[in-house]
Amino acid sequence: MMMKLPDFLLSEYGKASCTPSPVNRMMAEFAADFREAKDINLGVGYVNEQTIPRDLILKSMREVLALPEKYRAALNYGGPQGSPNLIESVRKFYLQNKVGGLTEKILDKKEIIIGPNGATSLLEGTAHVLKPGIVITSDPMYYIYCNYLERMGFEVLAVPEDQDGIQTDLLTEKLKKLGNRKNKISFFYVVSINNPTGCILSNKRKAELVWVVSKLSEELKRKVPLIVDKAYEDLVHDEAVKPLQSALLYDKADLVYEIGTLSKILSPALRIGYMIGCDGPFLRAMIQKTSDTGFSAPLITQEITSYLLDNQVLLQIEKVNHGYREKAKQVKKCIEEQLGRFLAECCGGKAGFYFYLTFRKTSTVEGSAFFRYLARTTGIPDIDGPEKDKHPRVIYVPGEFCVDPKGDLVQKGKRQLRLSYGFEEPGRIKHAVGVMKQAAEYAGNF
Ligand SMILES: Cc1ncc(COP(=O)(O)O)c(C=O)c1O
């Protein structure tokens, strides 16, 4: 008989990763019996299918393969910094459209690299090449990355944001409180249009943030990186907040690295994310990390993206933004009408595709009456529907998973939720918000 052996030796990361994160677990439970036509997913951060330019992508692929002189060996391995065509296209896209107010003079001093698998892989790379320590971010935080950072052995310290983004006065206070532990700060990570809140980091705050990080670098006598995740910056559909300036504009000490993605305006499946910042040991280590992960992002999707950026992108961005702008308006009106009396705050809806709701009293945590009403697990047949054909379920991301569990917003987070208006169509979202109203009324009885 075989002896029962102890299991494989896992790394600390492996040990921390063998149980799924709370959001992944919740989503997997829903996915197990999700009914496409019936259940409504306001939880998932997927882009809207209608925004993905299928025909253009098909045309671009044909053009790329028909032009081997320009798009050399597009179906072969690529180089670790990224396709030279794509890097040039990103640069031209920035200059021609004055993205972030960046000029040729500034971009001449920066490098652009393409990640192996979207912006996510660049964020992952950052956690591999920077020394573990404290990561400062805003609260609520991008829970997917922050959860990963924790599993990688980093300590996340989140600073509450207001309608202009991370509060720099609170940040200064928290830095002071750290005392000697300031030496343990590894890097700053800020999402310029925050996920989950949709809150837009104002230009003034961005400048203050760069200033705080520069001062800290001087104090610690070493450069502290500021990673700005601009995943949603091409999706600003409220003209009043434009133009958004790049953090690189204020960066005298070469601390800022901006990470962008083409997932949101073209297609997530292309897996194209890029980073802009100064050459140096960090950037070179990131290029090596791309090589270690898989040599490069698939060259064919890099070249397709390059073609799209050179040819059709402005029309595409306008179309995508038009779609989300209209959806945001309709959903906001519906939230106000249906949920207004239950809410203390509602932010988002000006960029990206999230609203973030704070209820006055209603608990939104997993297992709360509100949650169970929407998951159809109250045990009351009138609410849940017949066992074999339950009424439509509505999925959202509970705020409890988005706030720093050691931070200032833990209690508030239990009354919050992220509602995505990206994936689902307006009619279904409005229906779901109506069901949320019933859930809030039901929860009021507890
Ligand atoms: C803040 C943020 N950063 C990065 C990403 C991922 O981008 P990519 O598809 O390029 O990996 C997302 C996707 O939802 C996001 O919300």
Side-chain angles (χ1 to χ4, degrees):
M1 226 195 13
M2 285 283 283
M3 198 167 76
K4 178 117 177 70
L5 297 172
D7 214 330
F8 308 138
L9 295 178
L10 294 181
S11 65
E12 292 307 311
Y13 167 74
K15 284 183 209 159
S17 301
C18 56
T19 41
S21 69
V23 178
N24 282 357
R25 178 190 39 75
M26 199 187 91
M27 289 299 169
E29 280 164 17
F30 274 111
D33 52 356
F34 190 80
R35 299 161 303 173
E36 282 297 332
K38 203 158 190 185
D39 298 326
I40 305 173
N41 196 342
L42 304 184
V44 78
Y46 285 14
V47 307
N48 187 266
E49 279 286 314
Q50 314 288 339
T51 66
I52 299 177
R54 286 163 182 267
D55 290 345
L56 273 181
I57 290 175
L58 202 58
K59 178 170 178 252
S60 314
M61 179 147 107
R62 285 214 184 88
E63 298 280 338
V64 163
L65 294 178
L67 272 179
E69 319 78 58
K70 177 165 165 71
Y71 304 103
R72 289 172 52 214
L75 290 168
N76 220 315
Y77 292 114
Q81 179 160 357
S83 141
N85 287 324
L86 178 56
I87 290 171
E88 186 51 28
S89 301
V90 172
R91 202 184 124 85
K92 265 200 327 220
F93 172 71
Y94 265 73
L95 291 176
Q96 284 171 359
N97 303 297
K98 302 192 171 65
V99 177
L102 291 176
T103 59
E104 206 156 1
K105 197 168 153 216
I106 298 174
L107 280 183
D108 279 349
K109 289 196 228 129
K110 308 287 175 198
E111 290 286 325
I112 298 175
I113 66 172
I114 311 296
N117 202 314
T120 304
S121 64
L122 290 162
L123 295 174
E124 186 219 10
T126 300
H128 268 262
V129 307
L130 293 173
K131 190 171 170 183
I134 300 172
V135 177
I136 313 252
T137 192
S138 43
D139 206 3
M141 57 197 190
Y142 179 36
Y143 54 90
I144 293 178
Y145 185 48
C146 290
N147 176 273
Y148 170 69
L149 286 172
E150 299 265 5
R151 278 180 286 122
M152 283 291 284
F154 287 84
E155 176 188 336
V156 174
L157 194 163
V159 180
E161 66 174 18
D162 62 14
Q163 70 282 357
D164 290 325
I166 187 165
Q167 297 183 62
T168 36
D169 49 351
L170 290 185
L171 169 62
T172 310
E173 259 173 51
K174 291 212 184 250
L175 288 176
K176 210 165 167 190
K177 268 207 196 128
L178 275 178
N180 279 344
R181 294 193 73 232
K182 255 190 263 182
N183 286 310
K184 295 227 172 326
I185 292 177
S186 178
F187 65 99
F188 285 67
Y189 168 70
V190 173
V191 185
S192 56
I193 289 158
N194 202 5
N195 179 359
T197 58
C199 175
I200 301 169
L201 180 65
S202 71
N203 291 334
K204 183 167 171 279
R205 280 285 165 80
K206 228 179 231 173
E208 285 169 10
L209 182 61
V210 176
W211 190 83
V212 170
V213 182
S214 308
K215 284 277 144 217
L216 179 73
S217 297
E218 279 172 27
E219 186 188 331
L220 297 181
K221 300 194 173 53
R222 65 176 165 92
K223 286 162 83 169
V224 179
L226 166 57
I227 311 292
V228 178
D229 180 339
K230 55 187 292 279
Y232 297 93
E233 276 196 30
D234 299 318
L235 278 194
V236 178
H237 38 267
D238 183 338
E239 294 300 318
V241 298
K242 285 183 176 172
L244 289 181
Q245 288 177 337
S246 161
L248 293 163
L249 288 185
Y250 317 112
D251 180 28
K252 304 261 183 323
D254 293 341
L255 306 173
V256 174
Y257 286 80
E258 284 199 330
I259 294 183
T261 178
L262 291 152
S263 290
K264 314 291 174 188
I265 50 165
L266 294 176
S267 155
L270 294 170
R271 304 310 298 131
I272 300 297
Y274 58 89
M275 186 170 88
I276 306 183
C278 262
D279 192 7
F282 170 59
L283 192 111
R284 278 179 235 141
M286 288 292 286
I287 294 173
Q288 179 60 44
K289 174 70 178 81
T290 296
S291 179
D292 296 340
T293 299
F295 302 120
S296 73
L299 194 48
I300 183 73
T301 67
Q302 294 192 64
E303 303 297 41
I304 288 172
T305 307
S306 166
Y307 180 89
L308 288 168
L309 281 178
D310 291 351
N311 291 286
Q312 310 272 359
V313 78
L314 289 186
L315 198 60
Q316 167 67 11
I317 293 180
E318 184 38 46
K319 262 197 215 158
V320 174
N321 276 293
H322 177 74
Y324 287 129
R325 187 181 301 125
E326 287 311 305
K327 263 176 132 182
K329 264 193 225 153
Q330 292 183 33
V331 175
K332 176 141 199 189
K333 184 161 174 275
C334 180
I335 291 173
E336 281 165 1
E337 285 169 5
Q338 304 278 355
L339 294 174
R341 69 191 167 94
F342 298 102
L343 294 181
E345 288 165 44
C346 167
C347 57
K350 295 179 175 177
F353 37 66
Y354 304 118
F355 281 105
Y356 195 68
L357 312 183
T358 307
F359 285 81
R360 284 194 291 119
K361 295 195 183 120
T362 314
S363 167
T364 57
V365 301
E366 204 181 5
S368 63
F370 180 81
F371 183 94
R372 282 185 288 112
Y373 190 102
L374 296 170
R376 307 298 182 183
T377 54
T378 61
I380 302 169
D382 273 358
I383 294 174
D384 300 346
E387 194 50 46
K388 287 215 165 64
D389 184 27
K390 292 221 168 153
H391 293 327
R393 298 182 307 165
V394 176
I395 305 167
Y396 63 87
V397 176
E400 62 174 331
F401 299 140
C402 304
V403 296
D404 179 358
K406 311 174 294 315
D408 305 339
L409 303 181
V410 174
Q411 289 312 319
K412 198 173 176 188
K414 292 180 182 165
R415 293 180 283 113
Q416 295 181 316
L417 65 86
R418 187 190 80 175
L419 179 160
S420 163
Y421 57 92
F423 183 63
E424 298 280 6
E425 295 305 326
R428 283 165 62 82
I429 304 177
K430 285 189 214 164
H431 179 72
V433 173
V435 185
M436 278 189 176
K437 175 189 173 200
Q438 295 164 14
E441 281 166 350
Y442 170 75
N445 299 324
F446 287 88

